[in-house]
Structure formats: C-alpha cells, structure tokens
Amino acid sequence: MQVRHEQLEVRSHGKGLYEITDDVQSKIDKNPVGNGTVTVFVQHTSCSIVIMENADPTARRDLEEFFDRLVPEDTDYFTHDAEGSDDMPSHIRMVLTRTSETVPIVDGRMQLGTWQGIFLFEHRRSPHRRKVVITMMGE
Amino acid sequence: MQVRHEQLEVRSHGKGLYEITDDVQSKIDKNPVGNGTVTVFVQHTSCSIVIMENADPTARRDLEEFFDRLVPEDTDYFTHDAEGSDDMPSHIRMVLTRTSETVPIVDGRMQLGTWQGIFLFEHRRSPHRRKVVITMMGE
Amino acid sequence: MQVRHEQLEVRSHGKGLYEITDDVQSKIDKNPVGNGTVTVFVQHTSCSIVIMENADPTARRDLEEFFDRLVPEDTDYFTHDAEGSDDMPSHIRMVLTRTSETVPIVDGRMQLGTWQGIFLFEHRRSPHRRKVVITMMGE
C-alpha cells in the first residue's frame, strides 16, 4: 500500500464548470497506485469539485443557470460582501456541492461511468488560479 | 493494508430512495478489511448516493417532495432535455447531493449511527440498472 | 500504511456552524499517520460536516440564513414532524450538504487552504451531543 500526493493548478476565467478528468488521470499514470482510490480536493471555499455529465455542454449551462437563480447575487440579506456581490453566493454554492470527490482506481484507471467527468466548479466571476490536491492511495 | 473492490447492481423503478446498507455490509463481510473505510461510488450522473434517516418512510417521502419542488421538471429555461423532462433535473439533483459516501469500518462493521442508512437516490422516472463500486481499504 | 480511528464529541446549542478544525488536527497529532488522508464522519442525520470559510463570522450567518429560507420550518407539506418543526428540515439540510469530509494529510498536517475550516453544521434548535468518527489512513 502506498500514498502519493500531487498538485494541480486550474486557471478559471469566470463562473462555470472546468473539466479536469484528464489532468487527474495523468497524475495517476505517473504514480505506482494501480488499485485503490483517488481523492481530488480543492483548497478554496469559493469553488467546488463535482462529478457531472461531461458529454453535452447544454447540461452544464443549465446547471450554471440553476445555481445563479438558487443563490442570486442580489440577495438583499447577505452581509458578507467584502469581495463583491459574488462573494457570499460562492460560499453557499460550495457548501451545496462538494470540496472533494473520491473515485475508485482499478488497474490504474479511474472507475468513472460513461458520462461522468470531474470538474472544478468556479463560483467567482474574476479569473482565479485554483489549487487542487490529488491524493492516491492503494497498491 | 489491503484494498478490495466489489460491484453492486441496484435496480430502480422510479424516483426515490433505495436502501443499500445491507448490500454494502455484505460486501464488507466477504473481504478481509476489518478496520479502515468503505467508499460507495455510483457510476451515473442521474442518481446519487446519500446517507439518510432510515427509520421513518415519511422522512424519505418529504425529502423526495422537497427535491421535486426545488428542481421542477417543467423549468422553462432548461435546454438539456434529450431524454425527457426529468433529464436535466436529475443531473442537478445529483450535483446538489453526492456521487459517493465514505464510511469508517471498525471490527468489520460500518460505523453508521443508529438512524443512518446508505441509499441510492434515483432521480429518473423510468426503471434503471445502476452500477455501484464498493471500495474497501484497511487492514 | 496504517489506519487509526478516533472519536470526537461535539456539543451543540442550537442551529449553526461549530468549528472543529483544531480538534481534528489534535487527533492527527496523536497518531503515526504523517502522510495520507483523514475522513471526518458524523453519525447523525440531522447535522452535517462541511468545509467552510472560517475567517469572517458574517459569512457563516449568511449561510445559516440561506438554509433557513431554502428549507423553511413551516413548510406545509412536511409530514415527518415527530420531533418538531425543525425535524424534517434538518434531514433535508443534511442531504444538501455532507455527512463526511476527506482531507489530505502531508507531513502530519491537514492540507486545508488558507480560509478553509472544518465545521459541524447543526440543524436542530435544541442542544445535542454529536458523535464524530475521525479516520486517519496513511504512512
């Protein structure tokens, strides 16, 4: 059994879903963990890691629209707005989704279903460099 | 330390919660991992894995009603509807919940609380066969 | 590779976020797992474990207000109310957030970002003693 950590930087340019499936698989390919799990963890509280349908871009646009309406930027009772109107909504969207995903690895491959992709879900409007820690455990 | 993977197929027949706690424990019973964690991962983007109250069926019905109202099938701005009106809502409900749960194992038993059960949360109306990967790691 | 479990009891006194980051790190400090992951798992279905912004209390208050409005206690179609009007909303808030978080450990330290803290998110109004299982795996 072994444990290996890798770093990944994701550059975002506005709200939305950024697929990182291939980046995560590349980190697994470099390491001797053929059988176990990978945990993809983002070190921020204004973006998320989610598994989502990765075939049809309209699914991602509808998802983004849903979250824009569920947590509107112009919500009048928000008081945490030091970084602008997308500050508090970004924290809420993160809590409603996930900070990490854990995926099984078999024979060196993530066991994602046919339509599953791993995404960084950016909740801020301005460009950001997001730090992701990829932890592989197994044998 | 060891890692073991098992497959589980769950047959759903419409929206709702399907308890799989005993199925997961059965897989643990078959494997030599007495102390560690189990990760229950579903390989689809239109259903979820969640831990939920498993004693009172009214709690599950209220939960399903809440999600039907939070993400209505007749939402007018949804454009991703190739598979019908429950297509896009199913992806959003999955993102709002979870694709996997990880539970500690001590002395061969999942450390669930008294009222906790593991459920496949089906978001589609038609029958489906859902593939679940159960990964046990430990000693 | 080793696995270690620790117990943590968190006393809550009403709805809200209770930070447990230091308590989790203390458990890691006591155990010989310098490199791996920690899974923080709560054994209840009416509170959650979430990672959230830990610097500004207004962010936490806005988050609590958002959840109070998203899942109101006076929702007329809820039938699961044996334990009061905050009974069913607490289960829904738990399903919308998380029962556990998994965080990488490097050189004995959790790899949280600058503003990330681990919180027990209590959804019930009355005081509770909440049981948390902390599982460390690694080398």
Side-chain angles (χ1 to χ4, degrees), chain A residues 1 35-37 50-53 56 58-59 62-63 65-67 69-70 96-98 101-106 111-113 115-116 137-139, chain B residues 1-5 7 39 41-45 70-72 76-80 88 91-92 94-100 102 133 135 137-138:
Chain A
M1 290 282 289
N35 201 24
T37 61
V50 293
I51 287 174
M52 175 61 188
E53 207 267 16
D56 185 350
T58 65
D62 287 352
L63 181 75
E65 175 85 13
F66 176 84
F67 273 88
R69 292 173 183 236
L70 184 65
L96 284 169
T97 53
R98 293 182 274 287
E101 292 277 9
T102 295
V103 182
I105 302 172
V106 176
Q111 297 302 291
L112 295 168
W115 312 110
Q116 286 181 315
M137 294 180 74
E139 56 196 8
Chain B
M1 291 281 288
Q2 312 208 46
V3 53
R4 291 290 185 279
H5 302 286
Q7 302 275 341
T39 296
F41 179 91
V42 70
Q43 294 180 301
H44 307 273
T45 61
L70 184 65
V71 196
D76 55 6
Y77 64 83
F78 288 162
T79 59
H80 176 85
M88 194 59 223
H91 297 311
I92 293 175
M94 180 274 300
V95 169
L96 285 169
T97 53
R98 293 182 275 287
T99 292
S100 69
T102 295
V133 180
T135 302
M137 295 180 73

Side-chain angles (χ1 to χ4, degrees), chain A residues 40-73:
Chain A
V40 183
F41 179 90
V42 71
Q43 294 181 300
H44 306 273
T45 60
S46 54
C47 62
S48 309
I49 297 290
V50 293
I51 287 174
M52 175 61 188
E53 207 267 16
N54 76 343
D56 185 350
T58 65
R60 299 200 284 279
R61 284 199 296 271
D62 287 352
L63 181 75
E64 293 160 16
E65 175 85 13
F66 176 84
F67 273 88
D68 275 339
R69 292 173 183 236
L70 184 65
V71 197
E73 289 198 16

Side-chain angles (χ1 to χ4, degrees), chain B:
Chain B
M1 291 281 288
Q2 312 208 46
V3 53
R4 291 290 185 279
H5 302 286
E6 294 271 355
Q7 302 275 341
L8 180 67
E9 184 182 87
V10 182
R11 296 184 183 206
S12 63
H13 41 87
K15 288 181 180 182
L17 290 151
Y18 297 80
E19 184 156 15
I20 59 172
T21 313
D22 290 348
D23 303 285
V24 176
Q25 184 61 49
S26 294
K27 300 297 190 186
I28 296 169
D29 293 345
K30 286 173 51 186
N31 285 279
V33 176
N35 201 24
T37 62
V38 58
T39 296
V40 183
F41 179 91
V42 70
Q43 294 180 301
H44 307 273
T45 61
S46 54
C47 61
S48 310
I49 297 291
V50 293
I51 287 175
M52 174 60 186
E53 207 267 16
N54 75 343
D56 185 351
T58 65
R60 299 199 284 279
R61 284 199 295 271
D62 287 352
L63 181 74
E64 292 159 17
E65 175 86 13
F66 176 85
F67 273 88
D68 275 340
R69 291 172 184 237
L70 184 65
V71 196
E73 289 198 16
D74 60 354
T75 300
D76 55 6
Y77 64 83
F78 288 162
T79 59
H80 176 85
D81 55 6
E83 296 186 24
S85 62
D86 61 340
D87 188 351
M88 194 59 223
S90 71
H91 297 311
I92 293 175
R93 290 168 200 209
M94 180 274 300
V95 169
L96 285 169
T97 53
R98 293 182 275 287
T99 292
S100 69
E101 291 277 10
T102 295
V103 182
I105 302 172
V106 176
D107 293 339
R109 302 293 304 174
M110 284 192 286
Q111 297 300 291
L112 295 168
T114 309
W115 311 109
Q116 287 182 313
I118 305 174
F119 293 84
L120 184 134
F121 192 3
E122 177 59 69
H123 305 308
R124 302 301 305 271
R125 277 191 268 107
S126 57
H128 282 78
R129 295 185 181 202
R130 300 307 200 172
K131 285 182 280 182
V132 177
V133 180
I134 297 168
T135 302
M136 294 148 281
M137 295 180 73
E139 56 196 9

Side-chain angles (χ1 to χ4, degrees), chain A residues 19 24 55 96 110:
Chain A
E19 184 157 16
V24 175
L96 284 169
M110 284 192 286

Side-chain angles (χ1 to χ4, degrees), chain B residues 35 56 59 62 98 111 116, chain C residues 5 42-43 79-80 88 97:
Chain B
N35 201 24
D56 185 351
D62 287 352
R98 293 182 275 287
Q111 297 300 291
Q116 287 182 313
Chain C
H5 302 285
V42 70
Q43 294 180 300
T79 59
H80 176 84
M88 194 59 223
T97 52

Side-chain angles (χ1 to χ4, degrees), chain A:
Chain A
M1 290 282 289
Q2 311 208 43
V3 53
R4 290 291 184 277
H5 303 285
E6 293 272 355
Q7 302 275 341
L8 180 67
E9 185 181 88
V10 181
R11 294 184 185 206
S12 64
H13 41 88
K15 289 181 179 182
L17 290 152
Y18 298 81
E19 184 157 16
I20 59 171
T21 313
D22 289 349
D23 303 285
V24 175
Q25 184 61 51
S26 294
K27 300 296 189 186
I28 296 169
D29 294 345
K30 287 173 51 186
N31 284 280
V33 175
N35 201 24
T37 61
V38 59
T39 296
V40 183
F41 179 90
V42 71
Q43 294 181 300
H44 306 273
T45 60
S46 54
C47 62
S48 309
I49 297 290
V50 293
I51 287 174
M52 175 61 188
E53 207 267 16
N54 76 343
D56 185 350
T58 65
R60 299 200 284 279
R61 284 199 296 271
D62 287 352
L63 181 75
E64 293 160 16
E65 175 85 13
F66 176 84
F67 273 88
D68 275 339
R69 292 173 183 236
L70 184 65
V71 197
E73 289 198 16
D74 60 354
T75 300
D76 55 6
Y77 64 83
F78 287 162
T79 59
H80 177 84
D81 56 5
E83 296 186 22
S85 63
D86 61 339
D87 188 351
M88 194 59 223
S90 71
H91 298 310
I92 294 176
R93 289 167 201 210
M94 180 273 301
V95 170
L96 284 169
T97 53
R98 293 182 274 287
T99 292
S100 69
E101 292 277 9
T102 295
V103 182
I105 302 172
V106 176
D107 294 339
R109 301 294 304 173
M110 284 192 286
Q111 297 302 291
L112 295 168
T114 309
W115 312 110
Q116 286 181 315
I118 305 174
F119 293 85
L120 184 134
F121 192 4
E122 177 60 69
H123 306 308
R124 302 302 304 271
R125 277 190 268 107
S126 56
H128 281 80
R129 295 186 181 200
R130 299 307 200 171
K131 286 182 280 182
V132 177
V133 180
I134 297 167
T135 301
M136 294 149 281
M137 294 180 74
E139 56 196 8

Side-chain angles (χ1 to χ4, degrees), chain C residues 27-77:
Chain C
K27 300 297 189 186
I28 297 169
D29 294 344
K30 286 172 51 185
N31 284 279
V33 175
N35 201 24
T37 61
V38 58
T39 296
V40 182
F41 179 90
V42 70
Q43 294 180 300
H44 306 273
T45 60
S46 53
C47 61
S48 309
I49 297 290
V50 293
I51 287 174
M52 174 62 187
E53 208 267 16
N54 76 344
D56 185 350
T58 67
R60 299 199 284 278
R61 283 198 296 271
D62 288 352
L63 180 75
E64 292 160 17
E65 174 85 14
F66 177 85
F67 273 89
D68 275 339
R69 291 171 184 239
L70 184 66
V71 196
E73 289 199 15
D74 60 354
T75 301
D76 56 6
Y77 65 83

